């Protein structure tokens, strides 16, 4: 046993061998999924947001089925939990959290930021989301706007379709995608025209 080999890594390797032998998940499929997740980045989600802002048909399709919409833009969703898309409007703002652990829309945003996994974020997002957003991100959700906190789970992943910011009329998709940040798609921040 090498110095780097932990109980966890040995258990993981053993489970992978069992899944492969039983024909449930091949070693190759696991490697493929890991490579896809390693390569995933928020720019993929930003591309979906920019398309939704400029194409009403895509926006409707994305709200109806996030998985299919992502696949239509060439984002590989096979083997991932379904993706749901929550639309922010003038009346409602969404905040995504995994209260249990760190479930995140990895296929479209990549690995979650460290704060997303913290006990502090998970607890405060539920107890007092307005205070959390204001103090940690300077995001002020007015009292007139409903704040919906949505739990991401192992069975269903959520991303936010943020409001298109003022001052972006006539911008093309690439320019719009460039201003969409990771936090905008989780609901901790809102896009601003850069
Ligand atoms: Fe989780």
């Amino acid at each position: 046993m090498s110095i780097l080999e932990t109980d966890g890594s040995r258990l993981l390797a053993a489970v992978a061998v069992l899944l492969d032998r039983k024909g449930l998940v091949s070693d190759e499929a696991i490697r493929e999924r890991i490579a896809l997740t390693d390569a995933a980045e928020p720019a993929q989600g930003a591309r979906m947001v920019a398309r939704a802002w400029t194409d009403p048909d895509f926006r409707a399709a994305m709200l109806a089925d996030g998985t299919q919409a992502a696949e239509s833009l060439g984002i590989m969703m096979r083997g991932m939990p379904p993706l749901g898309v929550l639309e922010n409007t003038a009346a409602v703002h969404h905040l995504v959290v995994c209260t249990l652990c760190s479930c995140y829309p990895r296929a479209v945003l990549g690995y979650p930021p460290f704060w997303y996994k913290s006990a502090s974020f998970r607890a405060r997002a539920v107890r007092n989301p307005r205070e959390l957003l204001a103090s940690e991100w300077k995001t002020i959700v007015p009292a007139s706007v409903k704040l919906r906190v949505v739990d991401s789970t192992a069975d269903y992943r959520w991303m936010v379709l943020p409001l298109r910011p003022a001052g972006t009329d006539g911008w093309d998709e690439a320019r719009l995608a460039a201003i969409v940040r990771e936090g905008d798609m989780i609901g901790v921040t809102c896009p601003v025209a850069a």
Side-chain angles (χ1 to χ4, degrees):
M1 183 172 148
S2 80
I3 289 172
L4 291 173
E5 198 172 47
T6 61
D7 287 348
S9 66
R10 291 173 67 202
L11 180 62
L12 182 64
V15 170
V17 167
L18 277 175
L19 289 171
D20 196 23
R21 276 201 199 144
K22 286 180 177 282
L24 296 172
V25 182
S26 72
D27 214 30
E28 196 185 326
I30 292 174
R31 269 202 304 272
E32 179 191 66
R33 191 66 256 172
I34 290 173
L36 283 167
T37 306
D38 283 349
E41 52 177 8
Q44 291 174 314
R47 215 150 48 83
M48 293 174 69
V49 169
R51 175 69 60 91
W53 282 346
T54 52
D55 179 344
D57 289 341
F58 182 82
R59 179 180 148 274
M62 177 165 152
L63 294 174
D65 186 337
T67 301
Q68 255 183 30
E71 276 176 341
S72 77
L73 293 190
I75 301 167
M76 239 289 268
M77 300 298 287
R78 184 154 55 85
M80 298 301 283
L83 174 70
V85 180
L86 306 157
E87 185 182 36
N88 281 352
T89 67
V92 59
H93 179 95
H94 293 91
L95 172 65
V96 179
V97 64
C98 172
T99 53
L100 190 65
C101 44
S102 59
C103 298
Y104 199 68
R106 290 173 187 229
V108 288
L109 298 188
Y111 292 109
F114 73 94
W115 51 259
Y116 186 83
K117 299 186 262 189
S118 72
S120 161
F121 174 76
R122 286 154 47 210
R124 292 170 72 194
V126 177
R127 284 200 197 117
N128 196 345
R130 266 174 225 274
E131 184 277 326
L132 169 71
L133 295 185
S135 65
E136 299 297 329
W137 280 277
K138 310 283 174 259
T139 298
I140 307 299
V141 180
S144 58
V145 175
K146 186 179 173 184
L147 181 45
R148 263 187 84 203
V149 179
V150 180
D151 205 4
S152 214
T153 69
D155 298 326
Y156 219 91
R157 302 297 163 91
W158 296 104
M159 72 174 276
V160 173
L161 171 57
L163 270 174
R164 178 170 173 167
T168 58
D169 288 353
W171 288 25
D172 66 16
E173 259 183 74
R175 193 171 173 199
L176 287 168
I179 61 166
V180 180
R181 296 159 300 178
E182 184 168 23
D184 303 339
M185 295 177 278
I186 292 301
V188 294
T189 53
C190 298
V192 284

